[in-house]
Amino acid sequence: MTDETAASPTAPLSVDEVLAGMPAGMGALSDKMGITLLEVSADRVVATMPVEGNTQPYGLLHGGASVVLAETLGSMGSAVHAHPDKLSVGVDINATHHRAATDGIVTGVATAVHLGRSMTTYDVVITDERGKRVCTSRITCSLIPRERFSL
């Protein structure tokens, strides 16, 4: 790694490097939802999630499951941006559900909108296997100094 790459706050890390820095990986909820992290940097985070097991009573992908995926992606990107001096905590999320997904895998792509010293914001687009947009979300995270947490 060159000095230029090391100094870049958005230099890509491997998925394993990012997860190794998290006390509980992506967390128990992400594990239960079947979320698989594929790509992670402060600028862009990509993950997949199965529809099966994450549906509401009518067999459609649960809107809350889409929000869990979106929050996971935005939080992971924010955590990479905040590392090593700060931790990220979600403070706002919204979602618009465009179409139903009934089977297969959905893919979420979080793209940084703002990477500041005390706050980050990500747009998250979730699509089905045909590339059709299922959900659009926006998440904002606050960056808190590590010493304020007892992990």
Side-chain angles (χ1 to χ4, degrees), residues 45-83:
V45 183
V46 181
T48 60
M49 181 180 70
V51 173
E52 185 177 346
N54 294 313
T55 57
Q56 41 89 308
Y58 298 111
L60 308 174
L61 177 65
H62 196 292
S66 293
V67 174
V68 168
L69 178 58
E71 183 150 359
T72 299
L73 296 176
S75 294
M76 293 300 287
S78 182
V80 169
H81 175 67
H83 184 76

Side-chain angles (χ1 to χ4, degrees), residues 71 89-94 120-122 137-142:
E71 183 150 359
V89 293
V91 294
D92 183 63
I93 190 163
N94 66 59
T120 62
T121 301
Y122 288 83
S137 182
R138 179 172 280 212
I139 176 172
T140 299
C141 294
S142 181

Side-chain angles (χ1 to χ4, degrees), residues 1 10-18 39-41 80 83:
M1 180 182 305
T10 59
L13 299 171
S14 75
V15 170
D16 290 338
E17 288 174 312
V18 171
E39 174 187 332
V40 62
S41 72
V80 169
H83 184 76

Side-chain angles (χ1 to χ4, degrees), residues 63-126:
S66 293
V67 174
V68 168
L69 178 58
E71 183 150 359
T72 299
L73 296 176
S75 294
M76 293 300 287
S78 182
V80 169
H81 175 67
H83 184 76
D85 300 324
K86 296 180 180 177
L87 299 175
S88 95
V89 293
V91 294
D92 183 63
I93 190 163
N94 66 59
T96 301
H97 306 289
H98 304 289
R99 71 174 358 99
T102 56
D103 60 14
I105 302 288
V106 292
T107 301
V109 178
T111 305
V113 174
H114 174 74
L115 296 174
R117 290 178 306 199
S118 62
M119 185 173 289
T120 62
T121 301
Y122 288 83
D123 282 335
V124 183
V125 174
I126 300 172

